[in-house]
Amino acid sequence: SGITDERFKELLKNQNMTLKSAKEVYTKQLYVAKEINQSILKKVTLDGNESKEFYSANKDMFDAKEQRRVAHILVLVNDQRTDDQAKKLADKIKGEITSSNFAELVKKYSEDTGSKDTGGEYTFEKGKMVKEFEDAAFSMDIGQMLIVKTQYGYHIIKLLEKIPAGVIPYSKVQGDIEKMLLSQKQQEALQKYVESLFATAKIEILK
């Protein structure tokens, strides 16, 4: 529920502020936020080796379990389609697949909104997917296709890659590390700037 004008005035009274002074404070905050975006945060950069040093010092963070990369087409079983109809459609789609058109058929047929726009792909370790889907993916050979039934319907699964356990290469996580470190430095810069404002601010409180 939204806050009423009376409740807002009561809160202001408790803080010894008038509506006019509150508006002035919030207007200044908005201006400061705009200025920070334009100046303070833009000045924050990463040194050349920061992300590589973080990676080297935190190798345990990038220790990945064995994974599978698959592409799939989902045919739902729902109020509009019986189990038998879904199975027949999945068989039909599988019959249309060639060595080069899987991604096209994903766009045409797949009813999995989470992967339809990315070629039907998922990369996962054990324990992350529906059991029937996962069991099939970890038993397949690269390039092999299977039709698997789960609680959602019928999946046409194609195994694209077997990814062994081990430390993820720096090249694959460099971008993520840089984003994280840059965000941390921006937060620190923002905090220091806000602290400096409080240190020099002159705030008039109504008595």
Side-chain angles (χ1 to χ4, degrees):
S1 62
I3 188 169
T4 64
D5 287 345
E6 290 304 316
R7 176 63 180 145
F8 184 58
K9 289 175 182 176
E10 182 184 341
L11 290 171
L12 292 178
K13 184 178 179 182
N14 291 339
Q15 296 297 321
N16 291 321
M17 296 177 72
T18 64
L19 185 59
K20 183 173 182 294
S21 63
K23 285 181 178 178
E24 289 176 354
V25 168
Y26 294 135
T27 299
K28 288 176 183 177
Q29 286 180 343
L30 288 172
Y31 176 76
V32 167
K34 184 178 180 182
E35 289 301 305
I36 289 173
N37 285 332
Q38 291 179 349
S39 58
I40 304 300
L41 297 185
K42 284 185 178 180
K43 292 178 182 177
V44 179
T45 58
L46 292 179
D47 297 335
N49 295 321
E50 280 186 80
S51 61
K52 191 66 178 283
E53 289 171 357
F54 181 89
Y55 176 81
S56 298
N58 296 277
K59 283 286 181 68
D60 57 321
M61 289 180 60
F62 308 101
D63 190 14
K65 296 179 180 178
E66 183 181 6
Q67 295 179 300
R68 293 292 183 268
R69 184 170 69 90
V70 305
H72 86 129
I73 297 170
L74 171 61
V75 179
L76 291 172
V77 174
N78 52 31
D79 294 338
Q80 288 77 43
R81 186 186 295 128
T82 66
D83 187 289
D84 187 55
Q85 289 172 330
K87 176 66 166 63
K88 286 180 179 177
L89 179 55
D91 286 333
K92 173 184 175 294
I93 296 169
K94 188 171 182 287
E96 294 181 21
I97 296 172
T98 67
S99 60
S100 60
N101 71 346
F102 198 95
E104 295 173 17
L105 295 181
V106 168
K107 288 184 179 180
K108 183 177 179 181
Y109 290 113
S110 186
E111 295 172 314
D112 176 23
T113 55
S115 68
K116 186 170 184 175
D117 294 332
T118 55
E121 289 196 19
Y122 283 111
T123 300
F124 56 93
E125 62 189 48
K126 285 187 176 181
K128 299 297 184 182
M129 303 292 279
V130 177
K131 187 178 186 303
E132 298 89 347
F133 191 102
E134 180 182 289
D135 288 347
F138 275 84
S139 67
M140 297 166 67
D141 294 322
I142 293 175
Q144 183 182 357
M145 286 186 295
L146 288 176
I147 294 180
V148 177
K149 183 183 178 183
T150 72
Q151 66 199 61
Y152 303 106
Y154 287 87
H155 307 254
I156 305 165
I157 304 174
K158 182 177 183 179
L159 182 61
L160 302 177
E161 184 181 5
K162 294 181 180 181
I163 304 172
V167 178
I168 303 171
Y170 172 69
S171 59
K172 289 194 173 183
V173 293
Q174 179 181 359
D176 291 332
I177 294 174
E178 288 176 350
K179 286 179 183 177
M180 180 191 68
L181 294 179
L182 186 61
S183 177
Q184 286 179 350
K185 292 183 78 170
Q186 287 176 334
Q187 289 296 324
E188 290 169 4
L190 183 58
Q191 185 174 345
K192 287 180 181 178
Y193 184 72
V194 171
E195 286 174 355
S196 72
L197 290 181
F198 275 107
T200 57
K202 181 181 178 183
I203 303 173
E204 294 183 3
I205 300 177
L206 300 177
K207 301 297 183 182

